[in-house]
Amino acid sequence: QVTPAESGGRSVQSGGSLRLSCAANGYTPRTYCMAWFRQPAGKEREGVAAIGSDGTTSYADSVKGRFTISRDTTTNMVYLQMFNLKPEDTAIYYCAAARAAHEAPLDLVCPLSTPSNMDYWGTGTLVTISS
């Protein structure tokens, strides 16, 4: 079982940067993939970025080139580095984990289009981008 806990959310001006952290207690890189999702107020939850058991990554088109997901396998931390933030990035950001066979295709085990595929969720951290 993985217990994600997000931190780092705050208010930032448009064009700024921010790094979110996820302390994933119970995370083992070889058996889980990790992902960041976000949910703007009044909208559905959407996938942002994912990292597989083998370190491969995937991103939503809206954040490609601006966001980077990474992990530290020695501390079981997962990060989301965000650059050039825009008002439309305002949302609650969630860290989530899904069970995954080692080297399984990332799009299969951590599909950004299917939040329901994730097994464990954090409680979220609020990111607000002001123009």
Side-chain angles (χ1 to χ4, degrees):
Q1 181 173 347
V2 178
T3 308
E6 308 90 341
S7 62
R10 61 183 177 90
S11 295
V12 179
Q13 286 193 328
S14 181
S17 60
L18 193 62
R19 189 179 80 160
L20 303 182
S21 300
C22 174
N25 188 34
Y27 168 52
T28 53
R30 290 182 65 88
T31 56
Y32 288 93
C33 59
M34 300 293 295
W36 287 94
F37 289 78
R38 67 187 182 186
Q39 187 164 15
K43 297 185 178 180
E44 292 187 353
R45 195 167 297 190
E46 60 184 19
V48 175
I51 186 164
S53 60
D54 58 355
T56 57
T57 57
S58 65
Y59 296 92
D61 288 343
S62 60
V63 306
K64 280 181 181 176
R66 300 190 298 123
F67 291 12
T68 301
I69 187 171
S70 63
R71 65 183 183 182
D72 184 335
T73 57
T74 63
T75 59
N76 288 348
M77 294 292 294
V78 179
Y79 302 99
L80 185 68
Q81 179 67 58
M82 304 183 290
F83 295 102
N84 190 22
L85 285 160
K86 305 175 181 181
E88 52 263 42
D89 294 319
T90 295
I92 298 175
Y93 283 71
Y94 297 90
C95 179
R99 300 180 192 89
H102 186 51
E103 296 186 349
L106 186 56
D107 290 346
L108 180 65
V109 295
C110 258
L112 296 179
S113 60
T114 314
S116 60
N117 197 73
M118 307 306 289
D119 297 305
Y120 304 103
W121 290 87
T123 57
T125 186
L126 177 63
V127 173
T128 304
I129 310 302
S130 58
S131 57

